Amino acid sequence: MLSPTPLSLEQCVEVLKAAGEPTRLRLIALLSQGDLTVSEMTEVLGQSQPRISRHLKLLGEAGLVERYQEGAWAYFRRTREGLRARLVQQALDAASPLDPHLARDAERLRTVKQARASRAEAYFSANAGRWNDLRQMHVSDERVELEILKLIGRTPFDGLLDLGTGTGRMLELLAGSYRRAIGIDSSRDMLAIARAQLDDAGITHASVRQGDIFNLPLDRESFDVVTIHQVLHFLHDPLPAIREAARMLRPGGRVIIVDFAPHDHEELRVEHAHARLGFSQAQVADWLEQCGLTVEHMVDLPADSSENRTLTVTLWLARDPRLLIASDDSNSGLTFSNTGTT
């Protein structure tokens, strides 16, 4: 991978000026602990919303924070990539956590996150019975997750994208494997649960955002692994979602799909909004191949009939066959090979 272009002296000064004000440095410290709304930051810092917004605008112009929309709400996240982020991280590393301002901010942030968790728990409790009924119909989540970990392997990777992230379980399960991760979901209620789960697990290198999995608000070829866990059966036409997932993969990247094998539980259409009653191995494999991916593994996890479980869970692992080749000449950049072989 090529090294980033060094910042000019003027750019370094721009970054230092943007971060070199107490409130703005406190905002960066807060956003290091997860994505927040303006109202949440206002509550933590005890300052007016217009004042916080002005500081965020300056930080955004300096490339230190990013803004994204989730329905009527706007969330902010700290930029973590590049030399600008690295320069500011040095300032945060030098700051004492016992500083009274930072310590008070951390305490107030815990209160904000507890309120967020309470709202998420209320929604989860209202729907838990429906979800638990479905879980009783298939192999245990623990067994499915063990199979996912086996397919992922032990080698760390850079970027994870979880489509239809729901409660963010995949972000939590794979947290020890990736350097950064994004979960996408269309439901703000589910995203509230996911944020609360990530907060509770202390996972700060993953974030979630509202989005359309058919039209992702992300740069193509940005992720090493894309997971689509129990999502396709909600879609009348899953192929466009798989195609969008493939578009997100870097050369050599992998897609893992987890869903149900074909079944005849018509009641799931009404009770759980399932649009499709499972998929055969061949059907999903064909979709993956149509998207230019090579299917490497397909695994069925049958239900244990002795426990009155009747749904089989299937996992598909496919890979982008291109290889990313880094030239020895740093001025020549990167080239792609479509052969899939060395």
Side-chain angles (χ1 to χ4, degrees):
M1 184 178 294
L2 298 178
S3 300
T5 302
L7 299 176
S8 67
L9 179 63
E10 290 77 10
Q11 289 172 322
C12 288
V13 171
E14 177 191 7
V15 171
L16 293 173
K17 281 184 175 179
E21 192 277 339
T23 296
R24 292 198 287 273
L25 193 58
R26 289 165 68 187
L27 286 170
I28 295 172
L30 285 175
L31 292 172
S32 297
Q33 303 303 311
D35 301 358
L36 297 167
T37 65
V38 173
S39 61
E40 287 174 331
M41 287 180 274
T42 297
E43 185 175 346
V44 171
L45 295 183
Q47 299 183 19
S48 69
Q49 188 162 326
R51 179 178 172 83
I52 294 297
S53 296
R54 284 196 300 272
H55 285 306
L56 290 169
K57 183 176 184 294
L58 291 172
L59 290 173
E61 290 172 348
L64 300 179
V65 303
E66 301 170 351
R67 179 186 186 277
Y68 65 93
Q69 200 73 23
E70 189 173 291
W73 293 14
Y75 277 86
F76 289 82
R77 70 165 58 87
R78 182 187 160 198
T79 304
R80 295 182 179 273
E81 303 297 319
L83 293 177
R84 292 170 179 262
R86 206 179 303 173
L87 183 59
V88 173
Q89 184 61 50
Q90 291 180 331
L92 291 176
D93 290 341
S96 170
L98 300 179
D99 175 88
H101 294 291
L102 295 178
R104 185 167 59 251
D105 290 348
E107 180 61 34
R108 289 176 175 170
L109 180 61
R110 282 191 288 272
T111 300
V112 167
K113 288 187 173 183
Q114 286 169 0
R116 178 191 286 180
S118 296
R119 292 191 296 270
E121 181 62 28
Y123 176 82
F124 188 85
S125 297
N127 293 274
R130 181 169 58 89
W131 294 330
N132 287 334
D133 287 344
L134 182 58
R135 286 195 181 97
Q136 295 303 313
M137 298 176 69
H138 61 77
V139 65
S140 70
D141 291 340
E142 290 79 8
R143 186 176 169 197
V144 174
E145 291 177 359
L146 284 174
E147 195 64 38
I148 292 171
L149 291 173
K150 184 190 300 184
L151 291 177
I152 288 290
R154 296 179 178 274
T155 303
F157 55 90
D158 183 69
L160 169 70
L161 174 62
D162 185 33
L163 299 183
T165 195
T167 64
R169 177 56 188 160
M170 290 300 100
L171 303 177
E172 187 176 354
L173 176 69
L174 301 174
S177 298
Y178 58 76
R179 188 177 66 85
R180 61 182 180 88
I182 295 175
I184 299 289
D185 205 286
S186 62
S187 168
R188 281 184 54 190
D189 290 319
M190 297 306 294
L191 291 174
I193 294 174
R195 287 193 182 94
Q197 300 279 58
L198 293 174
D199 288 343
D200 188 57
I203 297 171
T204 60
H205 59 306
S207 63
V208 297
R209 66 178 79 172
Q210 190 175 39
D212 180 359
I213 65 173
F214 297 109
N215 185 22
L216 294 168
L218 302 166
D219 293 333
R220 65 180 301 143
E221 299 183 1
S222 299
F223 298 91
D224 303 289
V225 175
V226 178
T227 51
I228 312 176
H229 180 266
Q230 296 291 13
V231 172
L232 295 187
H233 59 252
F234 290 110
L235 309 178
H236 288 281
D237 183 9
L239 178 57
I242 297 175
R243 184 175 289 116
E244 189 72 350
R247 191 175 71 87
M248 292 294 108
L249 285 180
R250 290 171 174 158
R254 296 169 290 170
V255 168
I256 292 181
I257 295 174
V258 181
D259 220 293
F260 295 124
H263 61 85
D264 58 2
H265 289 276
E266 285 288 342
E267 71 275 11
L268 295 183
R269 295 190 192 274
V270 176
E271 297 174 9
H272 295 272
H274 288 200
R276 305 289 293 267
L277 299 184
F279 308 93
S280 68
Q281 286 191 359
Q283 176 65 84
V284 175
D286 180 60
W287 284 332
L288 289 164
E289 289 166 359
Q290 286 185 50
C291 296
L293 304 177
T294 301
V295 178
E296 295 189 340
H297 294 285
M298 295 183 287
V299 181
D300 279 336
L301 299 179
D304 186 344
S305 58
S306 66
E307 298 179 5
N308 295 317
R309 298 174 185 264
T310 56
L311 294 177
T312 293
V313 175
T314 304
L315 296 89
W316 293 262
L317 174 68
R319 187 182 296 272
D320 185 317
R322 299 171 300 165
L323 294 177
L324 181 63
I325 302 173
S327 169
D328 290 335
D329 181 357
S330 61
N331 294 320
S332 64
L334 301 176
T335 60
F336 292 161
S337 168
N338 290 313
T339 64
T341 60
T342 55

